[in-house]
Amino acid sequence: MKRNAILFWIALMLVASLLLGACGGGAAPTEVPPEPPVETEAPAVEMTEEPAAEMTEEPTTGELEPASEIIIYHWSEYIDPEIYTMFEEENGIRVVEDNFSNNEELLAKLQGGAAGYALIVPSDYTVSIMIEEGMLAELNHDNIPNLSNLAPRFTELPYDPGNKYCVPYQWGTTGIGYMSSEVDEPTSWAAIFEADPEAAYYGRFTMLDDTREGFAAALVYLGYDINTTDETQLNEAKDLLIKAKAGLAGYDSDTYEDLLASGENLLAHGWNGDFLVAQEENEDIAYVMPQEGGVIWVDNICIPVTASEAEKLAAEYFIDFLLRDDIGAMLSEYNYYASPNAASEEMLGEEFTSDPAVYPPAEVLERQQFIRPVGEAESLYQRLWDEIKAAQ
Ligand code: N2P
């Protein structure tokens, strides 16, 4: 276990340092959280799975026809709808989208027995949980030749080495977006946790409706590990989050950027790309990663075990389509999130890959941390978050 944990962190540092490499930085992060996890290692389900595709004589495609329609369970506004249209035109497969707002909602829905989804898009730590719980189907790499377009640093991610279950979709950071004409740059999470009732944005800011993201912001502000399982620290974070509610307009993970662009709100906790998209509508919007640090994440596209064989095949074709150089570039151009696809990055060009809000500079990136699974403390986080949401 200890060795696995150490390997996990070596790999994470590798990812972070390689991500830094992508923007010309190259320095390795200096901050490594002190307590590595024990439950992030790859699948406990191998025993129950069929032998890996490369060991069998024939791939599953033989006679199989892909499903003519598949459903993707996705974050809102996270794909250019034109990609679905192009895929349908080229492959005759219709992709229908349903949305969730956070990883916990996705996980709970699938754990609750929801079937019918051929594709899902969990973040890094949720992939770990899903693999451990046997919720993901192994990908047949024969159906995904464009996997070779992935930047090498995204082929050995610690939560899914070798892309056995998932393919990285986009990656980004969590920070604060604000209306720069009306609000001073919020360089600290204090903007949210110590908001001045006199400030213009008081009563006009939102926080992500997201258990782990909410706690991460509070914990990092308090100087604690964002993956702590210490109940005292978590309670302290809870109190801080409840205190912040006095000035909060609400919890929102889906429309917060639109509420900034329309001028209804002036500040929001959120994901970099969403703010950058909103910036096109309202150039006053700016994004900052607070000095205390924050979250870095990699979202992934995966297939639930509940998908039928025909759905799985269609889903693999779609994953392969997304991995095409031009489609991967379309995705990032629409989302303003960084791409794990080296071929697409080349098409996106220097201007995109050197934008510090998309590809943060080394010294900023090294302050960001990955959310990790916290095992049994998951339910403690959830209970405290429910208490925060219910608090008056
Ligand atoms: C979609 C943004 C999702 C990113 N609007 C969350 N990891």
Side-chain angles (χ1 to χ4, degrees):
M1 278 311 198
K2 191 132 196 274
R3 191 170 157 271
N4 286 346
I6 290 165
L7 284 176
F8 173 86
W9 278 109
I10 291 172
L12 256 198
M13 286 178 68
L14 197 67
V15 175
S17 69
L18 287 165
L19 293 180
L20 299 176
C23 62
T30 52
E31 212 185 291
V32 180
E35 287 172 22
V38 290
E39 69 279 74
T40 44
E41 264 305 316
V45 289
E46 274 167 13
M47 312 281 292
T48 60
E49 293 290 322
E50 290 184 5
E54 55 272 25
M55 292 178 64
T56 62
E57 285 210 347
E58 50 155 64
T60 52
T61 47
E63 307 280 297
L64 192 64
E65 284 290 316
S68 57
E69 182 174 301
I70 50 174
I71 307 175
I72 181 170
Y73 197 29
H74 208 348
W75 305 80
S76 62
E77 295 170 46
Y78 204 13
I79 187 167
D80 184 343
E82 180 64 19
I83 293 177
Y84 295 136
T85 311
M86 289 171 68
F87 179 69
E88 184 171 358
E89 274 168 14
E90 290 183 30
N91 296 277
I93 300 167
R94 199 169 109 94
V95 184
V96 179
E97 182 178 314
D98 185 16
N99 296 126
F100 57 83
S101 300
N102 52 59
N103 282 288
E104 288 67 37
E105 186 182 343
L106 161 65
L107 191 62
K109 182 115 175 202
L110 265 66
Q111 283 169 334
Y117 296 120
L119 288 163
I120 53 173
V121 188
S123 303
D124 34 60
Y125 71 99
T126 305
V127 169
S128 301
I129 298 172
M130 289 182 162
I131 291 175
E132 203 165 295
E133 295 194 10
M135 297 167 74
L136 300 180
E138 273 188 45
L139 300 175
N140 181 349
H141 286 197
D142 292 344
N143 297 328
I144 316 177
N146 287 326
L147 266 173
S148 61
N149 281 339
L150 278 181
R153 59 188 182 277
F154 287 99
T155 61
E156 285 303 327
L157 289 160
Y159 55 83
D160 180 30
N163 309 112
K164 195 168 167 188
Y165 294 94
C166 301
V167 169
Y169 180 80
Q170 302 265 263
W171 66 270
T173 60
T174 313
I176 300 178
Y178 62 103
M179 291 290 274
S180 58
S181 56
E182 300 188 54
V183 179
D184 292 339
E185 185 181 19
T187 52
S188 162
W189 289 108
I192 284 176
F193 298 116
E194 314 286 344
D196 178 357
E198 301 297 314
Y201 68 87
Y202 199 81
R204 293 170 73 187
F205 70 96
T206 54
M207 283 196 79
L208 289 172
D209 186 7
D210 190 303
T211 310
R212 295 300 308 274
E213 287 279 13
F215 270 103
L219 288 166
V220 82
Y221 179 61
L222 290 169
Y224 299 142
D225 178 353
I226 66 165
N227 297 295
T228 186
T229 55
D230 180 307
E231 203 162 341
T232 313
Q233 293 181 351
L234 285 168
N235 270 302
E236 212 180 310
K238 178 189 103 170
D239 291 344
L240 192 60
L241 285 156
I242 289 177
K243 191 179 113 192
K245 283 187 81 173
L248 202 66
Y251 294 100
D252 182 355
S253 299
D254 302 313
T255 60
Y256 63 93
E257 70 275 34
D258 307 322
L259 297 176
L260 275 193
S262 70
E264 182 169 332
N265 286 334
L266 297 178
L267 186 141
H269 168 223
W271 298 300
N272 60 330
D274 288 357
F275 294 120
L276 301 175
V277 169
Q279 213 171 47
E280 290 203 332
E281 222 176 292
N282 189 329
E283 58 186 22
D284 247 13
I285 295 174
Y287 174 70
V288 63
M289 295 157 76
Q291 67 205 13
E292 297 90 350
V295 174
I296 179 173
W297 45 263
V298 180
D299 289 337
N300 309 271
I301 187 155
C302 328
I303 304 176
V305 276
T306 47
S308 70
E309 272 193 78
E311 286 169 340
K312 179 169 185 275
L313 183 58
E316 286 168 339
Y317 287 169
F318 186 70
I319 293 174
D320 193 56
F321 189 71
L322 281 181
L323 281 169
R324 232 168 68 177
D325 54 1
D326 57 331
I327 304 299
M330 255 177 99
L331 192 63
S332 280
E333 265 160 12
Y334 182 86
N335 285 330
Y336 276 92
Y337 285 112
S339 178
N341 185 321
S344 304
E345 271 181 332
E346 217 164 289
M347 293 184 91
L348 285 161
E350 179 71 22
E351 203 188 320
F352 188 86
T353 57
S354 64
D355 181 342
V358 188
Y359 289 81
E363 68 277 12
V364 177
L365 210 47
E366 72 188 17
R367 297 198 301 256
Q368 305 298 113
Q369 300 174 52
F370 281 90
I371 293 176
R372 291 184 269 117
V374 287
E376 283 171 13
E378 224 70 71
S379 56
L380 172 61
Y381 270 85
Q382 205 45 55
R383 177 168 62 73
L384 296 177
W385 185 250
D386 291 342
E387 286 173 26
I388 294 161
K389 297 280 291 282
Q392 295 302 313

